[in-house]
Amino acid sequence: MNEPLPGALYLVATPIGNLGDLSSRAAAILSGVDFVAAEDTRVTAKLLSHLGVSKPMMTYHRHNLTEAGEKLQKRLQSGESCALVTDAGTPGISDPGEDAARLCAENGIKVVSVPGACAAVSALSVSALPTKRFCFEGFLSSERSKRLASLRALAGETRTIVFYEAPHRLAKTLSDMKEVFGGDRKISLCRELTKLNEEVIRTDLEEAAARFEKEEPRGEFVLVVSGAPEAEDSWEDTDIPGHFEFYLSRGLSQSDAMKAVAKDRHVAKSEIYRALKIKEQ
Ligand code: SAM
């Protein structure tokens, strides 16, 4: 189990801040593979040196995916085993591990998970927000119009939503979230998890936006935002126009609000159009 198989790609999770979080299986795989593919070989060299391991390394990052991918594929197909690691956390979650897994799977190469730290899951677990149902959105666009469009599409999402964000964009993102989701939406800002200055700020969007308008954020952040209230609680005693208004007030477009109303009431969309006296297109 801990002995790498020839020709397999191991997606090895590495710590997100605390070296103690590297599993003994991860250490065994890193020691046993023929080579390591790393997002940043300087970061990974430190980890390997902590383990007392010396390994041939190649870089695999978002700027060399094509050539490095070809090299990686050839070496794996020739029977070498490889551990792919990214800068921190679980490869494939908002990092180039996603491309490596797809490339290898498409080419019949065995892809094996060596699980461990993942910032999104750690943040969700300490957020104190509902965890029964959640969705992961990764990074929002750095372009404001695209970011707002993504947030608007999420306005009616009832599951807890997990985002990654870079510190230099935090203030703008919080202000946009407040604008789209409303200031009373709860948020847990999980900062520097597993590190010395780890902090979880459990507040609402109004306060979070105000705080980071003044304060410069430091370190890495995961934002965990509570979902919109469940429509089922409120629509059963209301008529179709009221139900429709409810979704509009949550930021849904007219067409998405109609779809949501039809779905909740288990009726055809045409019935909703009729009740709202809107011409179906
Ligand atoms: N694959 C990684 C994982 O499994 O967590 C995530 C890679 S993504 C490029 C990096 C983002 O993860 C950061 O911008 C930040 O949002 C989040 N992150 C990573 N380490 C963190 C930490 N110690 N505390 C809070 N957020 C962290």
Side-chain angles (χ1 to χ4, degrees):
M1 193 65 194
N2 292 353
E3 188 66 33
L5 296 167
L9 176 75
Y10 288 82
L11 300 179
V12 179
T14 56
I16 57 169
N18 186 327
L19 281 177
D21 293 333
L22 188 88
S23 74
S24 55
R25 179 164 173 242
I29 295 291
L30 286 167
S31 312
V33 287
D34 294 308
F35 70 103
V36 173
E39 190 174 7
D40 183 337
T41 50
R42 290 162 305 180
V43 172
T44 303
K46 282 189 202 147
L47 179 72
L48 294 181
S49 130
H50 167 77
L51 295 173
V53 169
S54 164
K55 261 312 127 180
M57 279 200 268
M58 65 172 276
T59 53
Y60 184 82
H61 51 65
R62 64 192 173 97
H63 301 295
N64 75 351
L65 291 178
T66 311
E67 328 100 79
E70 278 169 21
K71 241 190 254 169
L72 181 67
Q73 184 186 338
K74 269 198 195 126
R75 291 183 73 169
L76 287 160
Q77 284 172 333
S78 76
E80 287 188 87
S81 56
C82 172
L84 183 128
V85 293
T86 49
D87 287 351
T90 300
I93 310 303
S94 293
D95 66 32
E98 176 186 2
D99 304 84
R102 186 174 46 246
L103 175 75
C104 291
E106 280 171 1
N107 287 285
I109 293 165
K110 191 172 173 67
V111 182
V112 184
S113 161
V114 183
C118 174
V121 175
S122 296
L124 182 69
S125 69
V126 293
S127 68
L129 292 172
T131 58
K132 207 169 183 180
R133 295 166 65 243
F134 66 91
C135 62
F136 175 65
E137 283 291 315
F139 290 98
L140 289 162
S141 173
S142 55
E143 271 178 57
R144 182 153 197 251
S145 58
K146 289 189 184 161
R147 188 164 67 232
L148 283 173
S150 304
L151 290 172
R152 286 191 187 114
L154 286 167
E157 175 57 69
T158 55
R159 294 171 295 178
T160 298
I161 316 167
V162 183
F163 300 91
Y164 284 158
E165 192 49 288
H168 65 279
R169 281 207 288 264
L170 184 73
K172 284 184 182 155
T173 294
L174 290 173
S175 151
D176 289 346
M177 283 180 174
K178 181 183 122 181
E179 184 179 317
V180 177
F181 297 159
D184 55 357
R185 203 60 100 76
K186 286 186 188 160
I187 179 168
S188 296
L189 299 101
C190 305
R191 188 176 81 86
E192 295 286 83
L193 292 173
T194 77
K195 300 183 194 174
L196 203 61
N197 296 317
E198 174 175 32
E199 184 183 17
V200 182
I201 306 162
R202 301 184 184 91
T203 180
D204 61 27
L205 284 173
E206 183 74 48
E207 279 188 18
R211 174 170 171 170
F212 287 101
E213 210 176 72
K214 292 183 239 122
E215 184 180 317
E216 194 189 325
R218 290 192 196 283
E220 300 197 272
F221 282 82
V222 180
L223 309 179
V224 187
V225 181
S226 65
E230 296 277 353
E232 285 92 323
D233 295 343
S234 43
W235 71 260
E236 271 164 353
D237 299 328
T238 191
D239 55 7
I240 289 178
H243 194 173
F244 176 65
E245 278 302 321
F246 168 83
Y247 277 120
L248 290 183
S249 72
R250 290 285 175 281
L252 264 66
S253 67
Q254 195 163 311
S255 131
D256 286 343
M258 278 196 220
K259 274 190 216 151
V261 173
K263 191 169 167 226
D264 288 345
R265 302 177 96 92
H266 304 288
V267 297
K269 245 177 24 184
S270 53
E271 195 172 313
I272 309 299
Y273 278 100
R274 246 194 326 277
L276 295 172
K277 301 191 176 65
I278 296 177
K279 260 201 172 154
E280 200 165 352
Q281 288 165 13

